[in-house]
Amino acid sequence: MNVTDAVRARRTTRGFLPDPVPEAVIREVLEVARYAPSNSNTQPWHIAVVSGAARERLQNAIFAEINAGKTPYPTWPSGGVGLKGEYKDRQRACGFGYYATMGVDRDDAEGRRELLLKNWEFFGAPHAAFLSMPETMHRANALDLGIFLQTFMLLLTERGLAACPQGALGSYPGPVREIADVPAGNAILCGVSFGYADTAAKINTVHMDREPIERISSFTS
Ligand SMILES: Cc1cc2nc3c(=O)[nH]c(=O)nc-3n(C[C@H](O)[C@H](O)[C@H](O)COP(=O)(O)O)c2cc1C
């Protein structure tokens, strides 16, 4: 698989088989992902991988907070903040496309909530990983984490694995700090659930389109 194939094949996956990925494979992916570029080679990223019994404990601890009525308290604002115009429209289209595939009416608040809650079940993935960087760093450094995240996901794709990048996994940082090995003083920006895709899962038929290059680029000479 070349880079073009990997970029085109990667999809956000929200239905996984329970089979764990061998730790040797995860380490091999990280061995390569660490070559991602960063501003002044600061390499601000840290990825805390949670699997097995710890993954179950974490899911339960997050749901204990949700069921107690706690609302999200991310350290970093979520990606949905401040959206306007065409960006807001795309966000809506993304949500509605997802609900339509899953047969959830856009007015069905309970159905939408059920889908949302799957985020903190890690969509059934056997592994959840949390990306963090020192909380004193500027938002410009978040670029580095984004590059690292995509590199990580493409390497998973190359190995026949699948992932769901999730801003939602930054929403309840308390239990993550208790159970995952996140460095003290780091802010959790997002997470990524990963494993083997369940190819029979309806949720994985969601397909998001993209704007043509005329809308996203300009050329001056
Ligand atoms: C930084 C980031 C945060 C995301 N957060 C979530 C999330 O919390 N839950 C979710 O289901 N998908 C999340 N996504 C997945 C996007 O919805 C998805 O990338 C987008 O719709 C394009 O679809 P595709 O990845 O299949 O091409 C996130 C993606 C990124 C890059």
Side-chain angles (χ1 to χ4, degrees):
M1 181 179 270
N2 61 32
V3 178
T4 300
D5 293 339
V7 171
R8 284 189 177 273
R10 185 213 57 81
R11 289 271 168 77
T12 290
T13 297
R14 299 185 180 90
F16 293 88
L17 300 175
D19 314 60
V21 179
E23 189 171 309
V25 174
I26 303 174
R27 286 181 181 277
E28 180 190 286
V29 165
L30 293 175
E31 280 290 344
V32 186
R34 72 197 167 102
Y35 287 98
S38 58
N39 200 325
S40 301
N41 200 27
T42 47
Q43 305 164 67
W45 46 69
H46 182 274
I47 180 163
V49 182
V50 182
S51 314
R55 179 221 171 280
E56 297 309 308
R57 277 207 313 283
L58 179 56
Q59 179 175 326
N60 292 338
I62 293 174
F63 272 93
E65 291 203 340
I66 293 171
N67 294 334
K70 210 159 182 171
T71 50
Y73 54 99
T75 314
W76 273 59
S78 88
V81 170
L83 296 185
K84 288 184 194 146
E86 62 185 293
Y87 306 106
K88 189 74 197 162
D89 294 344
R90 285 183 203 141
Q91 182 200 38
R92 283 211 186 94
C94 174
F96 291 147
Y98 183 34
Y99 304 142
T101 304
M102 296 310 291
V104 172
D105 194 274
R106 57 176 76 181
D107 301 323
D108 176 3
E110 189 47 40
R112 285 166 47 177
R113 182 174 155 76
E114 267 176 38
L115 281 182
L116 177 70
L117 290 178
K118 288 186 184 295
N119 273 286
W120 298 288
E121 294 170 1
F122 314 120
F123 295 105
H127 309 280
F130 297 85
L131 274 86
S132 66
M133 69 176 188
E135 61 192 10
T136 50
M137 280 192 175
H138 191 262
R139 62 185 180 183
N141 299 103
L143 277 172
D144 303 336
L145 263 71
I147 294 171
F148 182 84
L149 172 63
Q150 170 73 332
T151 306
F152 178 73
M153 293 194 295
L154 292 178
L155 291 164
L156 292 177
T157 304
E158 186 191 22
R159 285 159 181 78
L161 295 160
C164 182
Q166 289 168 265
L169 293 188
S171 302
Y172 295 93
V176 179
R177 289 190 175 286
E178 271 168 36
I179 295 168
D181 192 9
V182 176
N186 266 21
I188 298 160
L189 272 71
C190 67
V192 52
S193 299
F194 66 95
Y196 299 94
D198 177 356
T199 51
K202 194 176 178 189
I203 203 166
N204 287 338
T205 62
V206 174
H207 176 57
M208 295 295 157
D209 222 339
R210 295 294 194 274
E211 295 295 328
I213 65 165
E214 290 72 21
R215 299 263 305 159
I216 61 151
S217 61
S218 56
F219 296 83
T220 309
S221 53

